[in-house]
Amino acid sequence: MDWIIVFVFGLIWGSFANVCIWRIPQGISIISPRSHCPACKTPINFYDNIPIISYIIIKGKCRNCGQKISLTYPLVELSTGIIAVLSYLRGGFSPLSIYYFFISFLLLLLFFMDLKFRILPDTITLGGALFAFFYSLIFKIDPPPLERLGASAAGTFLFLFLLIIYYLLKGIYGLGYGDVKLLAFLGIIFGIPDLLYVIVGGSALAILTYIPFVLIKKRRWLIPFGTFLSIFSIIFLLAK
C-alpha cells in the first residue's frame, strides 16, 4: 500500500513535470493559463488530465480536435512515479527520500528540456544546486558541504575549460554554458569522486547512443549532452 501511495504521488508530480518541461524553456508561466491542447488551444478538462489513465482513455488524441498527443506526456508521468518509488526505497518516509526524489525530479526535467529544446534553464540547474546544498546541509546528508562545493567548482572549471579550448580549436562551441552550469549542479549533488563517475558514465551513454544514430540515419547529430548526463545521474543517484 505504501508503494501505491508513493507511486500515485509521483504520477501527480509527473503531470506537473510536463507543464514545466513545455513552458519553462519557452518563458511561459507554469501557473497560467491552464493546461490546454497545443494544437487547438482548448483547455483540458480535469477528467482528461488524470496521469496516464486519461491518455489511455482518449487514445492519445485531443478530445476536441483529434490531434495526436505526444507519448512523452505519459512517459514523463510514469518515469516520475518510478522515481518516487525508488526514492522511497532508498530512504522510506524521511528527509533523505524527499531529497532523492526532488533532485531526480529536477534532473528528469533537464533530461527532457535538453532533448526537446536544447536548453538547460538556470532556474533548474542553479536553483537545484542551491536546493541540494542547503537541504543536505540542514539534514546532514553526505557528502560533506566542502566536498560538494569543491566538486561543483572542479566540474564547472573543467567544462568551462573544455568549452573554451574547443572553441579556440574549431571556432564553434562543443559545449553550451548550460552544460557548465549543469556540472555545477551535479558537483553539489555528488561530490568527489562520484562526479567523475557521472561524467564518464554520461559520456559513454552519449557515445553509445550517437554511434547507432549515425549509422542508421546516415547523418551527424548534435548531441544534447545534458540529456545524457541527467539520465545517468538519476540512475547513479538512485541505484548506488
Side-chain angles (χ1 to χ4, degrees), residues 122-133:
D122 292 352
T123 51
I124 308 297
T125 54
L126 301 183
L130 288 174
F131 166 81
F133 181 75

Side-chain angles (χ1 to χ4, degrees), residues 129-230:
L130 288 174
F131 166 81
F133 181 75
F134 286 107
Y135 191 93
S136 63
L137 184 65
I138 293 170
F139 292 101
K140 296 180 173 56
I141 299 173
D142 286 332
L146 288 180
E147 183 178 338
R148 290 176 184 268
L149 291 174
S152 180
T156 299
F157 284 118
L158 171 63
F159 266 38
L160 188 60
F161 175 77
L162 293 176
L163 183 152
I164 294 172
I165 293 298
Y166 193 89
Y167 181 80
L168 292 176
L169 293 176
K170 298 288 187 177
I172 58 175
Y173 289 106
L175 293 169
Y177 285 103
D179 296 312
V180 175
K181 296 169 187 175
L182 175 58
L183 257 291
F185 180 24
L186 297 181
I188 291 293
I189 297 171
F190 293 107
I192 299 172
D194 285 354
L195 178 62
L196 179 60
Y197 300 149
V198 168
I199 294 174
V200 173
S203 301
L205 188 59
I207 293 171
L208 291 174
T209 305
Y210 178 80
I211 293 175
F213 179 89
V214 172
L215 293 177
I216 295 172
K217 297 291 185 178
K218 306 297 183 183
R219 62 184 175 88
R220 299 182 65 184
W221 180 37
L222 182 61
I223 297 176
F225 194 33
T227 290
F228 295 98
L229 282 175
S230 297

Side-chain angles (χ1 to χ4, degrees), residues 95-115:
L96 182 61
S97 61
I98 294 174
Y99 175 81
Y100 282 129
F101 172 75
F102 196 68
I103 292 299
S104 299
F105 175 81
L106 294 179
L107 290 171
L108 187 70
L109 296 184
L110 293 173
F111 170 85
F112 283 102
M113 287 177 179
D114 199 31
L115 186 63

Side-chain angles (χ1 to χ4, degrees), residues 25-170:
Q26 300 183 84
I28 303 173
S29 171
I30 61 175
I31 300 175
S32 64
R34 56 181 288 194
S35 298
H36 56 271
C37 171
C40 67
K41 308 302 180 182
T42 301
I44 298 176
N45 296 312
F46 74 92
Y47 49 79
D48 286 335
N49 211 21
I50 303 172
I52 298 180
I53 296 175
S54 292
Y55 186 88
I56 296 173
I57 292 175
I58 62 178
K59 299 178 181 179
K61 296 180 181 179
C62 173
R63 192 184 293 275
N64 182 63
C65 68
Q67 179 71 26
K68 286 186 177 180
I69 300 173
S70 174
L71 188 61
T72 300
Y73 288 93
L75 180 60
V76 169
E77 292 165 350
L78 178 61
S79 299
T80 312
I82 293 173
I83 284 174
V85 172
L86 293 177
S87 300
Y88 168 72
L89 292 177
R90 288 297 307 273
F93 290 112
S94 71
L96 182 61
S97 61
I98 294 174
Y99 175 81
Y100 282 129
F101 172 75
F102 196 68
I103 292 299
S104 299
F105 175 81
L106 294 179
L107 290 171
L108 187 70
L109 296 184
L110 293 173
F111 170 85
F112 283 102
M113 287 177 179
D114 199 31
L115 186 63
K116 184 175 182 61
F117 296 101
R118 300 303 177 91
I119 186 172
L120 298 166
D122 292 352
T123 51
I124 308 297
T125 54
L126 301 183
L130 288 174
F131 166 81
F133 181 75
F134 286 107
Y135 191 93
S136 63
L137 184 65
I138 293 170
F139 292 101
K140 296 180 173 56
I141 299 173
D142 286 332
L146 288 180
E147 183 178 338
R148 290 176 184 268
L149 291 174
S152 180
T156 299
F157 284 118
L158 171 63
F159 266 38
L160 188 60
F161 175 77
L162 293 176
L163 183 152
I164 294 172
I165 293 298
Y166 193 89
Y167 181 80
L168 292 176
L169 293 176
K170 298 288 187 177

